[in-house]
Amino acid sequence: MAVDDVADTLAAMGPRLRAAREHRGATLTGVSCATGISPSTLSRIETGRRKPTLEVVLQLAKEYGVSLDELAGTAPTPAAEPRTAAPLSFGDDKAVLPLTRYVGGLHAHKHVLPAVEGPPARPRQVSHDGHEWLCVLYGRLWLALGDQDLILTAGDIAEFDTRTPHGVVNAGSGGPVEYLIIFGPQGERLRPRTPPAVGRGNRQPNRAQAGREAQP
């Protein structure tokens, strides 16, 4: 593996580790107690401010129940297909595809939740430093944000401080749910640069800061 490939792999590993931890509903403090790795070290690894050692990666892979190939994005792909970042899979429950491979700044991921049978339970919530922007591409997503319950559908956007407890599940659309997440680990935010629309009553584009409140 070339030096540049190693750097790219390490840069993409932080978001995958964060996704694996959040999927298990674990906090940095809880993982620290289980592994002996300090919360500050875990946070710096997840946000790309520190490269993980092999010992740390092995510990976390075991703790989260994922393979090294999933964390490194090196799972085998058919020779005829172009090489892309391998999605991080969580059994039949969730898949995460990192879309950015650099260290620092905003990180983007595509998430896919499979179809569910029957009414889902309220999402398990986690909290951590940072700021998150979520956009639903397909299906119905239940976002539990603090004490709010929001149902987001295709085209809906939610933006929130991730120190607020939050969690998501498929709201029971009869199919999978696909959504994008842009995450600022140090509170970075998107900066709209489009000027206000002119004409036709000066209508503004519909942007849902917190989605639509509803019960699933």
Side-chain angles (χ1 to χ4, degrees), residues 109-116 134-142 151-157 168-181 212:
H109 313 83
K110 180 179 179 180
H111 294 236
V112 180
L113 296 175
V116 295
L134 181 155
C135 177
V136 177
L137 302 175
Y138 178 84
R140 297 174 68 245
L141 184 71
W142 181 358
I151 301 300
L152 308 178
T153 58
D156 284 343
I157 294 171
V168 297
V169 294
N170 188 326
S173 63
V177 178
E178 298 184 13
Y179 58 100
L180 295 177
I181 282 181
R212 296 192 294 271

mmCIF file of all heavy atoms in Angstrom, residues 109-116 134-142 151-157 168-181 212:
data_model
loop_
_atom_site.group_PDB
_atom_site.id
_atom_site.type_symbol
_atom_site.label_atom_id
_atom_site.label_comp_id
_atom_site.label_asym_id
_atom_site.label_seq_id
_atom_site.Cartn_x
_atom_site.Cartn_y
_atom_site.Cartn_z
ATOM 1 N N HIS A 109 -21.184 11.453 5.313
ATOM 2 C CA HIS A 109 -21.444 10.018 5.240
ATOM 3 C C HIS A 109 -22.829 9.792 4.646
ATOM 4 O O HIS A 109 -23.735 10.606 4.827
ATOM 5 C CB HIS A 109 -21.441 9.362 6.627
ATOM 6 C CG HIS A 109 -20.299 9.739 7.499
ATOM 7 N ND1 HIS A 109 -20.282 10.890 8.248
ATOM 8 C CD2 HIS A 109 -19.132 9.107 7.752
ATOM 9 C CE1 HIS A 109 -19.150 10.956 8.927
ATOM 10 N NE2 HIS A 109 -18.436 9.889 8.637
ATOM 11 N N LYS A 110 -22.979 8.683 3.951
ATOM 12 C CA LYS A 110 -24.306 8.233 3.527
ATOM 13 C C LYS A 110 -24.704 7.053 4.400
ATOM 14 O O LYS A 110 -23.919 6.121 4.572
ATOM 15 C CB LYS A 110 -24.311 7.823 2.054
ATOM 16 C CG LYS A 110 -25.693 7.336 1.585
ATOM 17 C CD LYS A 110 -25.689 6.953 0.117
ATOM 18 C CE LYS A 110 -27.062 6.462 -0.303
ATOM 19 N NZ LYS A 110 -27.094 6.064 -1.739
ATOM 20 N N HIS A 111 -25.907 7.102 4.961
ATOM 21 C CA HIS A 111 -26.404 6.046 5.829
ATOM 22 C C HIS A 111 -27.594 5.360 5.162
ATOM 23 O O HIS A 111 -28.412 6.010 4.513
ATOM 24 C CB HIS A 111 -26.863 6.614 7.173
ATOM 25 C CG HIS A 111 -25.751 7.181 7.999
ATOM 26 N ND1 HIS A 111 -25.491 6.764 9.285
ATOM 27 C CD2 HIS A 111 -24.822 8.130 7.733
ATOM 28 C CE1 HIS A 111 -24.464 7.433 9.781
ATOM 29 N NE2 HIS A 111 -24.041 8.274 8.847
ATOM 30 N N VAL A 112 -27.688 4.041 5.352
ATOM 31 C CA VAL A 112 -28.812 3.271 4.842
ATOM 32 C C VAL A 112 -29.360 2.405 5.968
ATOM 33 O O VAL A 112 -28.625 1.603 6.557
ATOM 34 C CB VAL A 112 -28.411 2.378 3.644
ATOM 35 C CG1 VAL A 112 -29.629 1.596 3.146
ATOM 36 C CG2 VAL A 112 -27.811 3.199 2.519
ATOM 37 N N LEU A 113 -30.649 2.584 6.269
ATOM 38 C CA LEU A 113 -31.333 1.755 7.256
ATOM 39 C C LEU A 113 -32.265 0.813 6.504
ATOM 40 O O LEU A 113 -33.021 1.259 5.635
ATOM 41 C CB LEU A 113 -32.143 2.613 8.231
ATOM 42 C CG LEU A 113 -31.360 3.580 9.119
ATOM 43 C CD1 LEU A 113 -32.331 4.443 9.931
ATOM 44 C CD2 LEU A 113 -30.438 2.824 10.051
ATOM 45 N N PRO A 114 -32.250 -0.480 6.803
ATOM 46 C CA PRO A 114 -33.094 -1.429 6.075
ATOM 47 C C PRO A 114 -34.565 -1.282 6.440
ATOM 48 O O PRO A 114 -34.914 -0.613 7.429
ATOM 49 C CB PRO A 114 -32.546 -2.790 6.509
ATOM 50 C CG PRO A 114 -32.019 -2.534 7.887
ATOM 51 C CD PRO A 114 -31.445 -1.145 7.843
ATOM 52 N N ALA A 115 -35.420 -1.902 5.633
ATOM 53 C CA ALA A 115 -36.851 -1.902 5.921
ATOM 54 C C ALA A 115 -37.108 -2.617 7.241
ATOM 55 O O ALA A 115 -36.335 -3.486 7.667
ATOM 56 C CB ALA A 115 -37.598 -2.599 4.779
ATOM 57 N N VAL A 116 -38.180 -2.242 7.907
ATOM 58 C CA VAL A 116 -38.537 -2.841 9.190
ATOM 59 C C VAL A 116 -39.944 -3.408 9.108
ATOM 60 O O VAL A 116 -40.761 -2.995 8.285
ATOM 61 C CB VAL A 116 -38.452 -1.813 10.333
ATOM 62 C CG1 VAL A 116 -37.028 -1.343 10.531
ATOM 63 C CG2 VAL A 116 -39.375 -0.625 10.070
ATOM 64 N N LEU A 134 -28.429 16.820 8.617
ATOM 65 C CA LEU A 134 -28.959 15.553 8.125
ATOM 66 C C LEU A 134 -29.985 15.823 7.036
ATOM 67 O O LEU A 134 -30.858 16.683 7.202
ATOM 68 C CB LEU A 134 -29.594 14.786 9.295
ATOM 69 C CG LEU A 134 -30.201 13.404 9.056
ATOM 70 C CD1 LEU A 134 -30.194 12.607 10.371
ATOM 71 C CD2 LEU A 134 -31.638 13.495 8.538
ATOM 72 N N CYS A 135 -29.893 15.106 5.928
ATOM 73 C CA CYS A 135 -30.832 15.255 4.812
ATOM 74 C C CYS A 135 -31.339 13.882 4.383
ATOM 75 O O CYS A 135 -30.545 12.996 4.046
ATOM 76 C CB CYS A 135 -30.162 15.955 3.628
ATOM 77 S SG CYS A 135 -31.235 16.116 2.170
ATOM 78 N N VAL A 136 -32.654 13.689 4.406
ATOM 79 C CA VAL A 136 -33.249 12.413 4.001
ATOM 80 C C VAL A 136 -33.352 12.370 2.477
ATOM 81 O O VAL A 136 -33.855 13.313 1.839
ATOM 82 C CB VAL A 136 -34.640 12.223 4.635
ATOM 83 C CG1 VAL A 136 -35.283 10.918 4.141
ATOM 84 C CG2 VAL A 136 -34.527 12.203 6.160
ATOM 85 N N LEU A 137 -32.876 11.267 1.895
ATOM 86 C CA LEU A 137 -32.935 11.079 0.445
ATOM 87 C C LEU A 137 -34.123 10.225 0.033
ATOM 88 O O LEU A 137 -34.711 10.421 -1.032
ATOM 89 C CB LEU A 137 -31.642 10.417 -0.050
ATOM 90 C CG LEU A 137 -30.338 11.146 0.257
ATOM 91 C CD1 LEU A 137 -29.159 10.296 -0.195
ATOM 92 C CD2 LEU A 137 -30.312 12.510 -0.411
ATOM 93 N N TYR A 138 -34.468 9.245 0.889
ATOM 94 C CA TYR A 138 -35.529 8.292 0.527
ATOM 95 C C TYR A 138 -36.108 7.687 1.803
ATOM 96 O O TYR A 138 -35.371 7.412 2.757
ATOM 97 C CB TYR A 138 -34.954 7.182 -0.360
ATOM 98 C CG TYR A 138 -35.965 6.117 -0.739
ATOM 99 C CD1 TYR A 138 -36.816 6.314 -1.829
ATOM 100 C CD2 TYR A 138 -36.078 4.941 -0.007
ATOM 101 C CE1 TYR A 138 -37.758 5.347 -2.177
ATOM 102 C CE2 TYR A 138 -37.014 3.968 -0.356
ATOM 103 C CZ TYR A 138 -37.849 4.186 -1.437
ATOM 104 O OH TYR A 138 -38.780 3.245 -1.769
ATOM 105 N N GLY A 139 -37.411 7.505 1.812
ATOM 106 C CA GLY A 139 -38.049 6.845 2.946
ATOM 107 C C GLY A 139 -38.469 7.811 4.039
ATOM 108 O O GLY A 139 -38.478 9.034 3.863
ATOM 109 N N ARG A 140 -38.808 7.250 5.205
ATOM 110 C CA ARG A 140 -39.256 8.024 6.356
ATOM 111 C C ARG A 140 -38.336 7.723 7.534
ATOM 112 O O ARG A 140 -38.161 6.573 7.915
ATOM 113 C CB ARG A 140 -40.702 7.681 6.714
ATOM 114 C CG ARG A 140 -41.702 8.019 5.613
ATOM 115 C CD ARG A 140 -43.107 7.538 5.932
ATOM 116 N NE ARG A 140 -43.701 8.276 7.043
ATOM 117 C CZ ARG A 140 -44.021 7.742 8.214
ATOM 118 N NH1 ARG A 140 -43.758 6.460 8.457
ATOM 119 N NH2 ARG A 140 -44.589 8.475 9.161
ATOM 120 N N LEU A 141 -37.761 8.771 8.095
ATOM 121 C CA LEU A 141 -36.785 8.631 9.173
ATOM 122 C C LEU A 141 -37.352 9.238 10.454
ATOM 123 O O LEU A 141 -37.821 10.382 10.460
ATOM 124 C CB LEU A 141 -35.486 9.349 8.795
ATOM 125 C CG LEU A 141 -34.319 9.207 9.782
ATOM 126 C CD1 LEU A 141 -33.756 7.787 9.740
ATOM 127 C CD2 LEU A 141 -33.229 10.224 9.469
ATOM 128 N N TRP A 142 -37.282 8.482 11.539
ATOM 129 C CA TRP A 142 -37.697 8.978 12.848
ATOM 130 C C TRP A 142 -36.454 9.497 13.562
ATOM 131 O O TRP A 142 -35.535 8.737 13.853
ATOM 132 C CB TRP A 142 -38.357 7.847 13.628
ATOM 133 C CG TRP A 142 -38.864 8.198 15.005
ATOM 134 C CD1 TRP A 142 -38.770 9.392 15.643
ATOM 135 C CD2 TRP A 142 -39.542 7.322 15.901
ATOM 136 N NE1 TRP A 142 -39.352 9.327 16.882
ATOM 137 C CE2 TRP A 142 -39.837 8.068 17.077
ATOM 138 C CE3 TRP A 142 -39.932 5.993 15.841
ATOM 139 C CZ2 TRP A 142 -40.485 7.512 18.172
ATOM 140 C CZ3 TRP A 142 -40.578 5.429 16.924
ATOM 141 C CH2 TRP A 142 -40.860 6.191 18.073
ATOM 142 N N ILE A 151 -40.549 13.243 12.331
ATOM 143 C CA ILE A 151 -40.600 12.342 11.186
ATOM 144 C C ILE A 151 -40.147 13.120 9.958
ATOM 145 O O ILE A 151 -40.772 14.106 9.564
ATOM 146 C CB ILE A 151 -42.013 11.784 10.964
ATOM 147 C CG1 ILE A 151 -42.494 11.031 12.197
ATOM 148 C CG2 ILE A 151 -42.015 10.856 9.736
ATOM 149 C CD1 ILE A 151 -41.621 9.850 12.587
ATOM 150 N N LEU A 152 -39.024 12.704 9.375
ATOM 151 C CA LEU A 152 -38.459 13.365 8.200
ATOM 152 C C LEU A 152 -38.660 12.483 6.975
ATOM 153 O O LEU A 152 -38.462 11.272 7.044
ATOM 154 C CB LEU A 152 -36.972 13.635 8.410
ATOM 155 C CG LEU A 152 -36.566 14.364 9.694
ATOM 156 C CD1 LEU A 152 -35.045 14.501 9.753
ATOM 157 C CD2 LEU A 152 -37.227 15.714 9.779
ATOM 158 N N THR A 153 -39.037 13.084 5.867
ATOM 159 C CA THR A 153 -39.201 12.365 4.610
ATOM 160 C C THR A 153 -38.258 12.958 3.568
ATOM 161 O O THR A 153 -37.547 13.923 3.840
ATOM 162 C CB THR A 153 -40.657 12.447 4.114
ATOM 163 O OG1 THR A 153 -41.031 13.817 3.959
ATOM 164 C CG2 THR A 153 -41.605 11.786 5.118
ATOM 165 N N ALA A 154 -38.265 12.383 2.371
ATOM 166 C CA ALA A 154 -37.310 12.773 1.330
ATOM 167 C C ALA A 154 -37.312 14.282 1.109
ATOM 168 O O ALA A 154 -38.364 14.888 0.891
ATOM 169 C CB ALA A 154 -37.634 12.048 0.026
ATOM 170 N N GLY A 155 -36.135 14.885 1.193
ATOM 171 C CA GLY A 155 -35.981 16.312 1.001
ATOM 172 C C GLY A 155 -35.967 17.106 2.286
ATOM 173 O O GLY A 155 -35.607 18.291 2.273
ATOM 174 N N ASP A 156 -36.364 16.490 3.408
ATOM 175 C CA ASP A 156 -36.345 17.191 4.688
ATOM 176 C C ASP A 156 -34.927 17.266 5.245
ATOM 177 O O ASP A 156 -34.121 16.341 5.073
ATOM 178 C CB ASP A 156 -37.236 16.488 5.712
ATOM 179 C CG ASP A 156 -38.709 16.745 5.476
ATOM 180 O OD1 ASP A 156 -39.028 17.697 4.754
ATOM 181 O OD2 ASP A 156 -39.532 15.988 6.025
ATOM 182 N N ILE A 157 -34.640 18.360 5.929
ATOM 183 C CA ILE A 157 -33.324 18.597 6.514
ATOM 184 C C ILE A 157 -33.480 18.865 8.004
ATOM 185 O O ILE A 157 -34.407 19.547 8.427
ATOM 186 C CB ILE A 157 -32.640 19.810 5.847
ATOM 187 C CG1 ILE A 157 -32.337 19.517 4.375
ATOM 188 C CG2 ILE A 157 -31.350 20.182 6.580
ATOM 189 C CD1 ILE A 157 -31.868 20.742 3.609
ATOM 190 N N VAL A 168 -31.746 7.881 15.546
ATOM 191 C CA VAL A 168 -32.649 7.703 14.403
ATOM 192 C C VAL A 168 -32.992 6.228 14.213
ATOM 193 O O VAL A 168 -32.212 5.338 14.570
ATOM 194 C CB VAL A 168 -32.028 8.241 13.092
ATOM 195 C CG1 VAL A 168 -31.782 9.737 13.182
ATOM 196 C CG2 VAL A 168 -30.742 7.504 12.738
ATOM 197 N N VAL A 169 -34.169 5.984 13.644
ATOM 198 C CA VAL A 169 -34.576 4.655 13.193
ATOM 199 C C VAL A 169 -35.444 4.822 11.951
ATOM 200 O O VAL A 169 -35.956 5.912 11.673
ATOM 201 C CB VAL A 169 -35.374 3.865 14.266
ATOM 202 C CG1 VAL A 169 -34.514 3.525 15.464
ATOM 203 C CG2 VAL A 169 -36.629 4.621 14.673
ATOM 204 N N ASN A 170 -35.607 3.723 11.224
ATOM 205 C CA ASN A 170 -36.559 3.691 10.124
ATOM 206 C C ASN A 170 -37.956 3.844 10.725
ATOM 207 O O ASN A 170 -38.342 3.090 11.618
ATOM 208 C CB ASN A 170 -36.429 2.356 9.383
ATOM 209 C CG ASN A 170 -37.253 2.312 8.110
ATOM 210 O OD1 ASN A 170 -38.325 2.887 8.018
ATOM 211 N ND2 ASN A 170 -36.747 1.589 7.116
ATOM 212 N N ALA A 171 -38.714 4.825 10.250
ATOM 213 C CA ALA A 171 -40.032 5.103 10.822
ATOM 214 C C ALA A 171 -41.109 4.138 10.341
ATOM 215 O O ALA A 171 -42.277 4.286 10.693
ATOM 216 C CB ALA A 171 -40.452 6.538 10.505
ATOM 217 N N GLY A 172 -40.725 3.145 9.552
ATOM 218 C CA GLY A 172 -41.706 2.170 9.102
ATOM 219 C C GLY A 172 -42.345 2.547 7.790
ATOM 220 O O GLY A 172 -43.563 2.581 7.655
ATOM 221 N N SER A 173 -41.522 2.849 6.806
ATOM 222 C CA SER A 173 -42.016 3.293 5.497
ATOM 223 C C SER A 173 -42.370 2.143 4.571
ATOM 224 O O SER A 173 -42.880 2.354 3.485
ATOM 225 C CB SER A 173 -40.952 4.156 4.826
ATOM 226 O OG SER A 173 -39.777 3.388 4.593
ATOM 227 N N GLY A 174 -42.064 0.918 4.975
ATOM 228 C CA GLY A 174 -42.258 -0.217 4.091
ATOM 229 C C GLY A 174 -41.054 -0.471 3.213
ATOM 230 O O GLY A 174 -41.046 -1.404 2.406
ATOM 231 N N GLY A 175 -40.022 0.327 3.339
ATOM 232 C CA GLY A 175 -38.802 0.164 2.562
ATOM 233 C C GLY A 175 -37.629 0.722 3.334
ATOM 234 O O GLY A 175 -37.770 1.154 4.485
ATOM 235 N N PRO A 176 -36.453 0.739 2.737
ATOM 236 C CA PRO A 176 -35.269 1.271 3.417
ATOM 237 C C PRO A 176 -35.318 2.789 3.530
ATOM 238 O O PRO A 176 -36.149 3.448 2.895
ATOM 239 C CB PRO A 176 -34.112 0.818 2.527
ATOM 240 C CG PRO A 176 -34.724 0.732 1.161
ATOM 241 C CD PRO A 176 -36.128 0.242 1.383
ATOM 242 N N VAL A 177 -34.436 3.336 4.338
ATOM 243 C CA VAL A 177 -34.287 4.783 4.463
ATOM 244 C C VAL A 177 -32.844 5.134 4.112
ATOM 245 O O VAL A 177 -31.916 4.496 4.608
ATOM 246 C CB VAL A 177 -34.596 5.280 5.892
ATOM 247 C CG1 VAL A 177 -34.390 6.789 5.976
ATOM 248 C CG2 VAL A 177 -36.013 4.925 6.280
ATOM 249 N N GLU A 178 -32.662 6.119 3.257
ATOM 250 C CA GLU A 178 -31.332 6.600 2.908
ATOM 251 C C GLU A 178 -31.235 8.069 3.283
ATOM 252 O O GLU A 178 -32.152 8.848 3.016
ATOM 253 C CB GLU A 178 -31.061 6.422 1.407
ATOM 254 C CG GLU A 178 -31.095 4.980 0.935
ATOM 255 C CD GLU A 178 -30.727 4.841 -0.528
ATOM 256 O OE1 GLU A 178 -30.202 5.829 -1.097
ATOM 257 O OE2 GLU A 178 -30.964 3.767 -1.099
ATOM 258 N N TYR A 179 -30.121 8.432 3.915
ATOM 259 C CA TYR A 179 -29.945 9.826 4.296
ATOM 260 C C TYR A 179 -28.469 10.182 4.332
ATOM 261 O O TYR A 179 -27.600 9.311 4.465
ATOM 262 C CB TYR A 179 -30.601 10.124 5.650
ATOM 263 C CG TYR A 179 -30.116 9.303 6.816
ATOM 264 C CD1 TYR A 179 -29.182 9.809 7.721
ATOM 265 C CD2 TYR A 179 -30.609 8.029 7.039
ATOM 266 C CE1 TYR A 179 -28.739 9.058 8.804
ATOM 267 C CE2 TYR A 179 -30.184 7.274 8.119
ATOM 268 C CZ TYR A 179 -29.256 7.791 8.999
ATOM 269 O OH TYR A 179 -28.822 7.044 10.077
ATOM 270 N N LEU A 180 -28.200 11.476 4.172
ATOM 271 C CA LEU A 180 -26.837 11.995 4.224
ATOM 272 C C LEU A 180 -26.623 12.713 5.544
ATOM 273 O O LEU A 180 -27.533 13.352 6.073
ATOM 274 C CB LEU A 180 -26.589 12.986 3.082
ATOM 275 C CG LEU A 180 -26.636 12.445 1.657
ATOM 276 C CD1 LEU A 180 -26.444 13.605 0.675
ATOM 277 C CD2 LEU A 180 -25.573 11.390 1.439
ATOM 278 N N ILE A 181 -25.402 12.609 6.069
ATOM 279 C CA ILE A 181 -25.014 13.354 7.261
ATOM 280 C C ILE A 181 -23.737 14.121 6.953
ATOM 281 O O ILE A 181 -22.786 13.558 6.407
ATOM 282 C CB ILE A 181 -24.797 12.424 8.467
ATOM 283 C CG1 ILE A 181 -26.146 12.010 9.067
ATOM 284 C CG2 ILE A 181 -23.928 13.107 9.530
ATOM 285 C CD1 ILE A 181 -26.027 11.116 10.278
ATOM 286 N N ARG A 212 -40.417 18.025 10.649
ATOM 287 C CA ARG A 212 -41.807 18.129 11.027
ATOM 288 C C ARG A 212 -42.048 17.271 12.249
ATOM 289 O O ARG A 212 -41.724 16.079 12.253
ATOM 290 C CB ARG A 212 -42.698 17.678 9.863
ATOM 291 C CG ARG A 212 -42.569 18.566 8.648
ATOM 292 C CD ARG A 212 -43.673 18.248 7.657
ATOM 293 N NE ARG A 212 -43.514 16.892 7.123
ATOM 294 C CZ ARG A 212 -42.793 16.627 6.048
ATOM 295 N NH1 ARG A 212 -42.142 17.578 5.418
ATOM 296 N NH2 ARG A 212 -42.716 15.401 5.595
#
